Amino acid sequence: MINPLCPKEFKIEAVKQITGSGYPVSGVAGHLGVSAYSVYQWLKL
């Protein structure tokens, strides 16, 4: 599992996979080993 304090670049790439490529949040979160809640929070930034 990834450290809860993920680097900014990691978060940016996760958001790009959702906004740019159209992958679902749950799929990206599962692939990266983080919670969907975390990814939703990153989308708000």
Side-chain angles (χ1 to χ4, degrees):
M1 177 163 231
I2 305 245
N3 185 328
L5 300 175
C6 297
K8 184 177 180 179
E9 295 82 13
F10 180 84
K11 295 174 184 180
I12 291 170
E13 287 303 314
V15 170
K16 282 182 183 178
Q17 288 183 22
I18 297 161
T19 59
S21 301
Y23 292 115
V25 171
S26 60
V28 172
H31 178 73
L32 297 176
V34 297
S35 71
Y37 177 80
S38 293
V39 178
Y40 278 118
Q41 294 303 306
W42 301 343
L43 283 166
K44 292 180 183 180
L45 299 177

